[in-house]
Amino acid sequence: MSISAHIHLQDVSVDFPILSFRERSLRRRFMRAMTPFMARPQAPTHVVSALSDVTLDIRAGDRVALIGANGAGKTTLLRVLAGIYHPTSGSADVLGRCLSLFDLAAGFDEEATGYENIMRRGLVVGARRAEIEARRYEIAEFTELGDKLDLPLRTYSSGMMLRLIFAVATAVEGEIVLLDEWIGVGDQQFRRKARQRLDDIVARAGILVLASHDVDLLRSTCNRAVLLQQGRIAAVGTVDGIIDRYVAGAGDARN
């Protein structure tokens, strides 16, 4: 396990400005293009606050569960940790190589072969070309796709695609593993193999941050939990304590 991995967020906020429908209309865009030098009022915008004033410290050995309802900010927080989103305000200091196991299909090309996509996706997740080349055979063997890796992805079934996507995504390990729901792919035999591979990666990582609605998985995997509500941290504590608080709150909301 990496003892140097560390995450520190200080007052992190992430806002998304949204143009009104009127400002996004083709007529309005045409008129603005035709009058570039005329004084005009600022385009009205609405701002969606995905995260607000999030302060969090995660150290090596932490297995952190992100808990909250849909839209609470869990995926946004993961993307901040992965460097995909940059804070609108505040600071995010992440020490250690991140393995981001979400948006797994990004970087794949349906017209390229399986082997070509191994290289494409590997580069997307930040691996060096030499690193991917060194693991190319192992990735191919793990997929169990054989000669089909010489064919373009558009000829693959959904199950074949999932095997390739998972094999490439987990070929490069990280000191920090970021997961948006635990990954289960393929038939029962392949799913067991995939679960073992993922377990091994997590065991060797310094930090795991896992967003999931599966409370049994969170209880068995994590040692800390963060409750998010409307983009803010509502509580940080033990996994059992935070899950009990979340479940109780969800029950109150339904009553």
Side-chain angles (χ1 to χ4, degrees):
M1 181 183 73
S2 170
I3 61 173
S4 62
H6 183 210
I7 295 170
H8 180 67
L9 307 182
Q10 184 67 45
D11 299 323
V12 167
S13 295
V14 176
D15 298 330
F16 298 112
I18 308 296
L19 282 174
S20 68
F21 175 79
R22 182 168 177 265
E23 288 297 322
R24 290 187 288 115
S25 69
L26 183 60
R27 180 176 181 275
R28 171 64 59 159
R29 290 163 65 186
F30 176 77
M31 292 298 294
R32 290 172 72 86
M34 291 296 99
T35 57
F37 303 110
M38 293 179 62
R40 53 179 182 257
Q42 288 291 100
T45 60
H46 301 284
V47 174
V48 174
S49 295
L51 291 177
S52 299
D53 302 321
V54 170
T55 295
L56 187 62
D57 196 61
I58 304 174
R59 297 184 178 275
D62 283 344
R63 301 307 191 240
V64 179
L66 297 184
I67 300 172
N70 291 332
K74 302 186 298 297
T75 299
T76 300
L77 179 53
L78 285 174
R79 288 177 175 170
V80 169
L81 298 180
I84 298 171
Y85 291 164
H86 297 287
T88 305
S89 60
S91 62
D93 297 318
V94 179
L95 177 63
R97 182 178 186 174
C98 287
L99 173 61
S100 305
L101 295 177
F102 49 86
D103 297 335
L104 296 184
F108 282 87
D109 180 355
E110 288 193 347
E111 295 302 319
T113 68
Y115 280 118
E116 290 168 342
N117 274 290
I118 288 174
M119 178 61 70
R120 289 174 62 92
R121 173 63 189 182
L123 294 173
V124 166
V125 300
R128 296 180 298 275
R129 184 175 293 271
E131 188 177 7
I132 306 166
E133 286 288 357
R135 304 206 63 175
R136 185 171 178 265
Y137 175 76
E138 186 273 333
I139 295 170
E141 186 176 42
F142 188 87
T143 68
E144 301 177 356
L145 293 176
D147 294 341
K148 300 225 173 18
L149 289 169
D150 292 312
L151 300 176
L153 255 60
R154 58 182 166 76
T155 67
Y156 285 26
S157 67
S158 58
M160 292 165 61
M161 275 288 297
L162 286 172
R163 285 177 177 234
L164 180 61
I165 288 171
F166 179 84
V168 179
T170 56
V172 180
E173 296 189 13
E175 296 166 298
I176 300 170
V177 176
L178 308 174
L179 260 171
D180 197 351
E181 296 294 348
W182 202 267
I183 304 170
V185 294
D187 55 32
Q188 187 173 1
Q189 181 179 350
F190 189 82
R191 192 178 296 117
R192 283 197 298 267
K193 184 169 75 166
R195 176 61 190 256
Q196 184 59 57
R197 181 168 177 141
L198 201 51
D199 286 345
D200 291 343
I201 289 172
V202 169
R204 289 192 291 270
I207 290 172
L208 168 69
V209 183
L210 169 61
S212 178
H213 294 285
D214 185 339
V215 295
D216 291 332
L217 172 65
L218 296 177
R219 290 184 198 274
S220 64
T221 306
C222 300
N223 57 17
R224 294 180 63 198
V226 175
L227 178 61
L228 289 168
Q229 293 177 344
Q230 298 180 336
R232 295 179 179 273
I233 291 182
V236 178
T238 65
V239 178
D240 287 339
I242 295 299
I243 288 176
D244 290 345
R245 175 169 172 169
Y246 173 63
V247 172
D252 292 340
R254 288 193 296 268
N255 295 330

